[in-house]
Amino acid sequence: RGPGAGPGAPPAPGCGRFAPELCAMYERVAVAGRPDEEARELLRRRSPSAVADRIAVPTLIVQGQSDSLFPLDHADAMARAVAANGAPVSVDWAAGGHDGGVSEADRVQARVTAWFDRYLKGDEGADTGPVFRVSRSGGIDSTDGTIKLSGASADRYPGLTPGPRPVPLTGPEQTFGNPPGGAPPALSALPGIGGQLSTLGAGLAMDFPGQFARFDSAPLDSALRVTGTPTVTLKVRSTAADGSAVLFGKVYDVAPDGTTQVLPRQLVAPFRVENAQQGRAVQLRLPAIDHKAEAGHRLRLVVAATDLGYATPAAPAAYTVAVESPLGVPVADGVTTAAAGLPAWT
């Protein structure tokens, strides 16, 4: 039933099978443009994080990489919580996700079955796979046009900030605007086709002039595999009446000729800054990804005022952004690509 509906009343349009209290919460937050404490508490009670401190059994966490709803940092938070309870944890970053991409249903099901065989049936010979595994694109199969995947693994989960490598960024302090009504918005995640393209190292991301700041690295001397969450410190100023700013951070992989830029997995990091009338320092955690930037490419940090996937303030405002640190790029050197012929889940 929809919010406020009595017994026997037909479901409210748009609610589908959602519980009435969740539907009412969504409608309220969508109108307000930001969650209230009641909404936060409702979601906390229904989140796996509500019971994470009580999970003390062997746990396999599988998370899709092409997922703007439940990104990899959610899996990371659960892995850290369960490990703190003393239970063994394995983490698997699969290729797909809510935004589409390549399905690995068969591989994931095989790994889950092996996990249950080991820890529920007590089969000591069941191979549960590595502590950490990530699926990586292996290009296109020339025989049938399908996307090939390879697996990389490690005997320990590296987390989201392994071995951060500083990558200096250049670019002056820049001022850009939040347009009235937040339109037209930048484009990042595009469920379905966007997930497919991101697996191939392509995408449809687009930023509108006057709505973003851009900071570039020098061309990379050698290939750089980003595995985890890049970080950077920004200084943000806002002309909004309350001094706030709603911004979206993203890191592009830019080709040597500068004409092509790829947004890995089409992911952005939304963040809100409060009381920034006089400027405020912010450490931005960018989306967790596994992506290889080739030698000669640049990394480009973009901080935008709008994004199609998120609500933004309706009132126009000017934001000024400067970078105050290098881009900290996580590099998990212990994660290596599996040799051919190994079981599918390794």
Side-chain angles (χ1 to χ4, degrees):
R1 298 192 305 275
C15 281
R17 295 179 295 169
F18 284 101
E21 60 271 27
L22 289 174
C23 194
M25 178 274 295
Y26 171 76
E27 292 178 355
R28 186 175 74 252
V29 170
V31 171
R34 61 189 302 174
D36 51 41
E37 187 52 39
E38 181 182 350
R40 293 178 186 275
E41 179 56 31
L42 179 65
L43 293 174
R44 274 195 292 263
R45 291 199 306 268
R46 284 160 172 76
S47 168
S49 64
V51 297
D53 62 345
R54 303 201 300 273
I55 300 176
V57 296
T59 303
L60 172 64
I61 301 172
V62 181
Q63 185 78 49
Q65 297 178 65
S66 296
D67 203 319
S68 55
L69 289 176
F70 304 102
L72 296 176
D73 58 349
H74 288 206
D76 177 73
M78 181 59 69
R80 288 186 287 107
V82 175
N85 300 332
V89 180
S90 289
V91 178
D92 192 308
W93 291 356
H98 282 89
D99 292 351
V102 179
S103 172
E104 292 195 89
D106 291 343
R107 182 189 69 79
V108 169
Q109 183 174 352
R111 183 165 192 190
V112 170
T113 300
W115 190 272
F116 286 164
D117 286 346
R118 170 66 179 84
Y119 293 110
L120 293 183
K121 287 185 176 180
D123 180 357
E124 298 286 344
D127 181 2
T128 59
V131 174
F132 176 64
R133 185 197 185 280
V134 54
S135 293
R136 293 174 172 171
S137 175
I140 300 292
D141 190 326
S142 60
T143 61
D144 57 11
T146 59
I147 299 173
K148 296 187 294 184
L149 295 176
S150 61
S153 61
D155 58 7
R156 59 179 294 274
Y157 172 55
L160 296 186
T161 56
R165 184 172 301 173
V167 176
L169 298 172
T170 60
E173 180 179 83
Q174 298 166 53
T175 299
F176 54 97
N178 177 56
L187 175 65
S188 55
L190 192 63
I193 186 172
Q196 292 282 353
L197 291 172
S198 67
T199 305
L200 292 172
L204 298 173
M206 178 174 60
D207 299 292
F208 284 97
Q211 292 186 22
F212 66 92
R214 187 182 86 182
F215 308 93
D216 286 356
S217 75
L220 298 173
D221 293 333
S222 58
L224 178 63
R225 169 69 69 172
V226 184
T227 302
T229 300
T231 59
V232 66
T233 300
L234 305 174
K235 185 173 183 180
V236 177
R237 292 202 311 274
S238 170
T239 65
D242 60 358
S244 67
V246 175
L247 299 168
F248 304 90
K250 42 195 155 180
V251 175
Y252 288 100
D253 177 351
V254 184
D257 61 6
T259 61
T260 304
Q261 60 178 21
V262 171
L263 180 62
R265 300 293 177 176
Q266 307 299 115
L267 296 177
V268 302
F271 65 106
R272 183 187 295 270
V273 184
E274 305 283 2
N275 303 315
Q277 296 94 329
Q278 305 304 317
R280 186 165 186 179
V282 179
Q283 186 181 51
L284 173 59
R285 290 175 58 88
L286 290 145
I289 56 173
D290 183 76
H291 177 81
K292 184 180 181 181
E294 298 291 350
H297 286 220
R298 299 174 186 264
L299 298 183
R300 172 171 293 163
L301 170 68
V302 167
V303 181
T306 61
D307 190 89
L308 181 63
Y310 298 87
T312 53
Y319 306 137
T320 301
V321 174
V323 292
E324 296 199 325
S325 76
L327 184 67
V329 177
V331 178
D333 291 326
V335 180
T336 56
T337 302
L342 292 178
W345 53 88
T346 59

